[in-house]
């Protein structure tokens, strides 16, 4: 992505909700070289932040609700979570949690777009979001897979002021000319039980090597390493608990 830090309206954080946090920590630490720190406060619920050097890059947490799926979630930065939540509602989305404070670090809400994809709003206080993008082991791209492309295009441009390129094959989201993600219309190749969703891509030094390591550690390949025409080499993986994520070559945009 062309963003190298959290900016208003852009992706600022990604976190994994998983059924087995300890196994997930082991898997991702080995795969991406993350250093993991779990918040010791009981009210933090086992929330664990992943670091590369001194930079926070992602998080792993237990499932906090019975209905919560095992999945990676993407947060977008807003200046006022309450105002943004109201805009989500008027634009055709649904807020299902919050807005609510997270200690002194920020205020957040969980919402669904009109196509059914979940995302999060993040109003920073002491924590702005990821301290590193596009480097190996950090967030490098976000992709919305949806069955309602026209609806969600209107929704996100209204809520966040994003631009959307005119490409018929793979429109890209942007802020002030800086692309950070893509829009993929889900067709019959996707099983009907797979919901619309946001998919984070992590940058890696070598897609094939990382994909092999993920499979060896108990993950699985959903899309084998592929070189995108005029784009990067990518792959889509599923971790041992069932969460889906993508990888792409560091320094090459998704």
């Amino acid at each position: 992505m062309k963003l190298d830090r959290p900016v208003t309206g852009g992706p600022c954080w990604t976190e994994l909700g998983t059924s087995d946090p300890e196994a997930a920590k082991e898997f991702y630490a080995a795969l991406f070289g993350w250093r993991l720190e779990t918040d010791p406060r009981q009210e933090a619920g086992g929330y664990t932040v992943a670091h590369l050097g001194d930079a926070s890059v992602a998080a792993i947490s237990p499932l906090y609700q019975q209905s919560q799926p095992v999945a990676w979630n993407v947060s977008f930065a807003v200046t006022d979570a309450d105002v943004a939540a109201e805009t989500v509602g008027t634009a055709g989305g649904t807020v299902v949690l919050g807005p609510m404070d997270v200690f002194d670090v920020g205020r957040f809400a969980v919402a669904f777009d009109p196509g059914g994809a979940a995302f999060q709003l993040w109003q920073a206080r002491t924590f702005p979001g990821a301290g590193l993008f596009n480097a190996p082991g950090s967030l490098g791209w976000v992709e919305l897979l949806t069955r309602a492309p026209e609806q969600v295009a209107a929704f996100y441009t209204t809520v966040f002021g994003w631009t959307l390129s005119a490409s018929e094959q793979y429109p890209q989201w942007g802020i002030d000319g800086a692309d950070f993600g893509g829009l993929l219309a889900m067709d019959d190749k996707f099983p009907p039980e797979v919901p619309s969703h946001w998919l984070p891509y992590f940058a890696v030094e070598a897609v094939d090597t990382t994909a092999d390591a993920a499979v060896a550690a108990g993950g699985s390949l959903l899309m084998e390493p592929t070189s995108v025409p005029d784009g990067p080499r990518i792959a889509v993986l599923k971790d041992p608990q069932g969460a889906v994520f993508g990888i792409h070559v560091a320094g090459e945009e998704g």
Side-chain angles (χ1 to χ4, degrees):
M1 70 175 75
K2 293 180 180 177
L3 301 176
D4 59 5
R5 58 185 174 82
V7 299
T8 300
C12 63
W13 192 239
T14 186
E15 60 186 34
L16 170 66
T18 183
S19 56
D20 191 340
E22 294 307 315
K25 292 176 194 178
E26 183 177 351
F27 176 82
Y28 287 102
L31 195 65
F32 294 140
W34 288 349
R35 175 176 57 84
L36 299 160
E37 293 184 0
T38 300
D39 191 321
R41 292 172 291 187
Q42 183 175 0
E43 57 269 34
Y47 195 84
T48 299
V49 174
H51 299 81
L52 288 171
D54 294 330
S56 302
V57 293
I60 296 172
S61 75
L63 300 179
Y64 295 127
Q65 298 180 2
Q66 190 172 5
S67 60
Q68 183 182 351
V70 173
W72 278 98
N73 303 292
V74 178
S75 297
F76 299 96
V78 297
T79 56
D80 188 317
D82 295 82
V83 171
E86 290 181 8
T87 305
V88 165
T90 58
T94 306
V95 177
V96 295
L97 180 65
M100 59 189 296
D101 292 330
V102 182
F103 304 116
D104 63 343
V105 298
R107 188 167 174 80
F108 89 109
V110 179
F112 286 90
D113 70 24
F119 65 98
Q120 298 180 169
L121 305 169
W122 180 252
Q123 176 189 339
R125 289 177 178 154
T126 61
F127 182 71
L132 185 67
F133 291 101
N134 307 316
S138 67
L139 186 65
W141 191 251
V142 294
E143 182 176 84
L144 174 62
L145 294 89
T146 182
R147 292 187 172 87
E150 293 183 1
Q151 279 184 286
V152 299
F155 172 79
Y156 286 106
T157 53
T158 298
V159 172
F160 295 116
W162 295 348
T163 56
L164 185 63
S165 67
S167 169
E168 293 183 4
Q169 297 172 331
Y170 191 65
Q172 296 189 8
W173 306 107
I175 297 176
D176 296 329
D179 292 346
F180 60 81
L183 172 62
L184 182 64
M186 300 173 72
D187 55 21
D188 294 340
K189 296 177 183 178
F190 290 86
E193 65 271 16
V194 177
S196 297
H197 60 282
W198 278 98
L199 179 69
Y201 278 76
F202 296 96
V204 297
E205 292 184 355
V207 166
D208 297 70
T209 301
T210 303
D212 288 345
V215 172
S220 56
L221 272 174
L222 297 184
M223 185 180 75
E224 294 186 358
T226 302
S227 294
V228 177
D230 300 320
R233 190 160 179 79
I234 64 174
V236 178
L237 304 161
K238 182 184 288 188
D239 73 21
Q241 286 71 51
V244 179
F245 63 101
I247 55 175
H248 73 89
V249 176
E252 297 182 9
E253 295 176 10

